[in-house]
Amino acid sequence: MGARAKPAEGAMTLAEMKEFAGFSAATQRYIRRSLDIGLEREDAMLRWSRDVVEAASIRAQAHIYERLQEVRAMIPDDSDLDSIEPFLSPLVAIAAFDLSQGRLTSFSAFRFLYERLIGAEVRPWLPSAFCAAAALPHLHPDLRRKLLQSISEAAATASGWSNRQPSFYPAWVEKVDSAALPN
C-alpha cells in the first residue's frame, strides 16, 4: 500500500511546485525569506538582506514571527469561541504584518506560506485570518481591495479542509555554473 501512496504524493508535490512557480518573483522571494525566518532554516539577515530597509524589515518580521510557536500550539480543535480568540488574535497580527509588506498579493500566496509556517491544521482558520488582516486600515485601500478580491467564494465558504501536510517547502537555490554539471 505504501507504494501506491507515493505517486499521489509526487503528484501533490508537483502541484505545489507549480502553484509556487505561478507566483511573482517578489512573492516567491518573500515566501522563501519568510520560511527561513519562521522555520529558522537559515540566517535570514545574511541570506536576504540587500539594504538597510530590508534588514529592518527582516528584524521586524523575525520579531513578529516569535509568536508562531504560540500560534502553532493553540490551533483550536473546534469553533468554541473561548479557544478562537487567543489563537486568532496573534494569527491576524502576524498576517497583518505579512500583508503590509506588499509581497503576498493574493489569498493563494498567503495560504501557501501559512500552511508551511504553521501546518495543515491551520487551513480552516486561514480565510478568516486573511480577511481580517486584509481589511485592516493600515493597508492602502487599493491593496485591501486587491487582497479581498483574491479570495474565492470556494475558499471562503469551504465545508472541509484537507489535513495533508504540504510537501514542497521552497528554499534558496544557489546558482550553479552549467560547465561544472556532469554530462
Side-chain angles (χ1 to χ4, degrees), residues 108-145:
S108 61
F110 172 83
R111 180 196 43 75
F112 187 93
L113 173 60
Y114 278 71
E115 286 176 353
R116 285 151 186 80
L117 279 177
I118 300 172
E121 306 80 17
V122 78
R123 283 188 184 116
W125 306 102
L126 291 179
S128 11
F130 176 81
C131 289
L136 290 172
H138 75 292
L139 298 178
H140 189 278
D142 292 338
L143 179 56
R144 275 186 279 162
R145 181 181 308 104

Side-chain angles (χ1 to χ4, degrees), residues 106-179:
S106 68
F107 176 70
S108 61
F110 172 83
R111 180 196 43 75
F112 187 93
L113 173 60
Y114 278 71
E115 286 176 353
R116 285 151 186 80
L117 279 177
I118 300 172
E121 306 80 17
V122 78
R123 283 188 184 116
W125 306 102
L126 291 179
S128 11
F130 176 81
C131 289
L136 290 172
H138 75 292
L139 298 178
H140 189 278
D142 292 338
L143 179 56
R144 275 186 279 162
R145 181 181 308 104
K146 182 178 182 180
L147 288 168
L148 291 169
Q149 288 175 344
S150 75
I151 187 167
S152 69
E153 183 178 339
T157 62
S159 59
W161 295 268
S162 167
N163 60 1
R164 185 189 67 81
Q165 293 294 337
S167 57
F168 173 64
Y169 287 75
W172 176 271
V173 178
E174 296 289 342
K175 287 187 177 187
V176 177
D177 181 9
S178 61

Side-chain angles (χ1 to χ4, degrees), residues 40-177:
E40 300 174 8
R41 298 191 308 193
E42 294 280 336
D43 180 349
M45 190 67 70
L46 183 64
R47 167 86 59 212
W48 299 106
S49 178
R50 296 179 288 196
D51 56 35
V52 294
V53 173
E54 195 161 31
S57 173
I58 290 168
R59 277 192 295 279
Q61 187 175 16
H63 177 71
I64 197 120
Y65 275 21
E66 288 173 1
R67 299 185 78 184
L68 282 173
Q69 199 70 355
E70 165 191 349
V71 168
R72 290 180 191 121
M74 293 188 323
I75 298 174
D77 292 332
D78 58 29
S79 58
D80 172 43
L81 292 177
D82 289 336
S83 62
I84 292 173
E85 182 187 359
F87 164 74
L88 208 49
S89 180
L91 179 59
V92 170
I94 296 166
F97 173 86
D98 280 331
L99 295 179
S100 74
Q101 298 301 294
R103 300 292 185 241
L104 300 176
T105 57
S106 68
F107 176 70
S108 61
F110 172 83
R111 180 196 43 75
F112 187 93
L113 173 60
Y114 278 71
E115 286 176 353
R116 285 151 186 80
L117 279 177
I118 300 172
E121 306 80 17
V122 78
R123 283 188 184 116
W125 306 102
L126 291 179
S128 11
F130 176 81
C131 289
L136 290 172
H138 75 292
L139 298 178
H140 189 278
D142 292 338
L143 179 56
R144 275 186 279 162
R145 181 181 308 104
K146 182 178 182 180
L147 288 168
L148 291 169
Q149 288 175 344
S150 75
I151 187 167
S152 69
E153 183 178 339
T157 62
S159 59
W161 295 268
S162 167
N163 60 1
R164 185 189 67 81
Q165 293 294 337
S167 57
F168 173 64
Y169 287 75
W172 176 271
V173 178
E174 296 289 342
K175 287 187 177 187
V176 177
D177 181 9

